[in-house]
Every structure is written in C-alpha cells, then in structure tokens.
C-alpha cells in the first residue's frame, strides 16, 4: 500500500464497507477503520458530543461490533481495491494479540494499534513506554504487515513512548490527538 496521501482517520465513518468505499471514491488514498476489539461493545450512552472552547469534544467509547463481525467489511473493501488499515485495540496484551491474529486473516494492508483512547480502559498504555513496547512487539510478532502505533501527545514524555514503540525495529509512528 501507498503510505503517502490522504487517509481517513479511525472512527470517522469507518464502520461499514459501503461507507468506507464512498470515502475512497471521494478521494481518500487509504481508509483506517473504526477501532475494533475482541467482543462487541456498545460504547458510552449519549450524548457523546459537546461543544468546548469553540470546538467539539467527543467520547464515543470505542463502539464496535467485535472482530468476528468485522470480517465482511474488510473483505468487501479489499474486493473493491481499497487500501485498508485495520485499527484494533485490546484491554490486555493477550487480548490485542488475539484481535490482531484474527484481523490479519481478513487481509488488511496494515494494522493500526490504538494505544491511547482517552476515555476508555486503554487510555494509559501510550503514557507508559514499557507497556507501549509490550503491546507493539506482541502484535508485530503475530502479523506480517506494517503496524502503526497510534500514540497520544498527552503523554508527559511522548518521545520516550515513541522510542519504545520503535524499539523492536524502526516502524512508522502515528501521533494523534485522540
Ligand atoms: C467520532 C470520532 C470517533 C473516533 N473514533 C476513533 C477510534 O475508534 N479509534 C481511534 O484510534 N481514533 C478515533 N478517533 C480519533 C480520530 O481518529 C483522530 O485521531 C482525531 O479525531 C484527531 O484528528 P483530527 O484533529 O483531524 O480530528 C475518533 C474521532 C472522532 C471524532
């Protein structure tokens, strides 16, 4: 897949194969899916959006159908020739590894590891270099594609966190305000 270009960020429309194809048709070079976990998850009860300081703040709560149910969406996208980055998360190293193993079998071009959703149980991972290394290396051990670590600038020492993510071998890093 081409790493350069316009990518749809995770969680923005990236839930069904047909909507993601429309985003590609509108010009996106690659689509990052909504973050998918091991089991279905409802997320927070509404309202999940509010205005703040002239902008908007959201806290969706990682709503997703679970990795088993997401197979058809990834397969539909690949059949339509879309570059797909499957975003995944897990509340433990073991759980995220299971999600990665299952997810890679659907044929995405790359995996993005959500390590920092600020209002969920995974919030602290990308604040801690050792934990970040454990998650990244466990996932890299079970997949044969590019892995993007999605970090957070809210970490007090995000340079150390980024270096820990790269420790296994140099890899692309995705720093995001979640
Ligand atoms: C409604 C909504 C849902 C999101 N869901 C996810 C998600 O599931 N996983 C993730 O890694 N990021 C998620 N994000 C964060 C975005 O991918 C992105 O990192 C964030 O919006 C910052 O980029 P921006 O400044 O261009 O908005 C979500 C953002 C929004 C607004």
């Amino acid at each position: 897949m081409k790493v350069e270009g316009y990518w749809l960020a995770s969680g923005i429309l990236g839930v069904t194969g047909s909507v993601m194809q429309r985003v590609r048709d509108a010009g996106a070079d690659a689509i990052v899916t909504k973050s998918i976990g091991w089991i279905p998850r409802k997320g927070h009860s509404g309202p999940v959006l509010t205005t703040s300081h002239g902008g908007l703040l959201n806290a969706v709560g990682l709503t997703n159908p679970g990795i088993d149910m997401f197979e058809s969406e990834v397969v539909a996208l690949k059949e339509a020739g879309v570059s797909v980055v499957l975003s995944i998360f897990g509340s433990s190293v073991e759980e995220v590894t299971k999600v990665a193993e299952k997810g890679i079998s659907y044929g995405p071009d790359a995996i993005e590891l959500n390590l920092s959703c600020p209002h969920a149980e995974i919030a602290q991972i990308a604040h801690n270099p050792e934990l970040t290394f454990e998650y990244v290396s466990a996932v890299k051990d079970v997949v044969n594609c590019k892995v993007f670590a999605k970090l957070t600038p809210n970490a007090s020492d995000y340079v150390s966190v980024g270096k820990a993510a790269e420790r296994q071998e140099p890899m692309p890093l995705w720093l995001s305000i979640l």
Side-chain angles (χ1 to χ4, degrees), residues 107-139:
D109 298 273
I111 296 271
E112 182 173 277
L113 249 183
N114 180 348
L115 297 174
S116 54
C117 188
H119 45 79
E121 70 279 16
I122 63 169
Q124 289 307 308
I125 303 168
H127 288 254
N128 179 324
E130 284 316 307
L131 214 46
T132 299
F133 173 72
E134 280 176 37
Y135 271 74
V136 171
S137 54
V139 168

Side-chain angles (χ1 to χ4, degrees), residues 30-108:
I31 304 291
V32 185
T33 71
K34 176 74 191 167
S35 293
I36 305 296
W38 183 239
I39 51 170
R41 176 169 169 133
K42 273 191 176 166
H44 301 313
S45 312
V48 293
L49 189 71
T50 189
T51 51
S52 171
H53 302 92
L56 294 171
L57 267 182
N58 83 87
V60 176
L62 290 174
T63 308
N64 79 94
I67 195 68
D68 285 340
M69 291 293 286
F70 209 61
E71 177 172 11
S72 53
E73 313 301 346
V74 177
V75 169
L77 285 172
K78 287 316 304 167
E79 281 173 5
V82 179
S83 294
V84 187
V85 180
L86 176 63
S87 170
I88 61 169
F89 71 95
S91 50
S92 66
V93 171
E94 294 71 31
E95 190 175 277
V96 82
T97 306
K98 288 194 297 181
V99 180
E101 278 176 320
K102 190 128 229 191
I104 199 66
S105 72
Y106 306 158

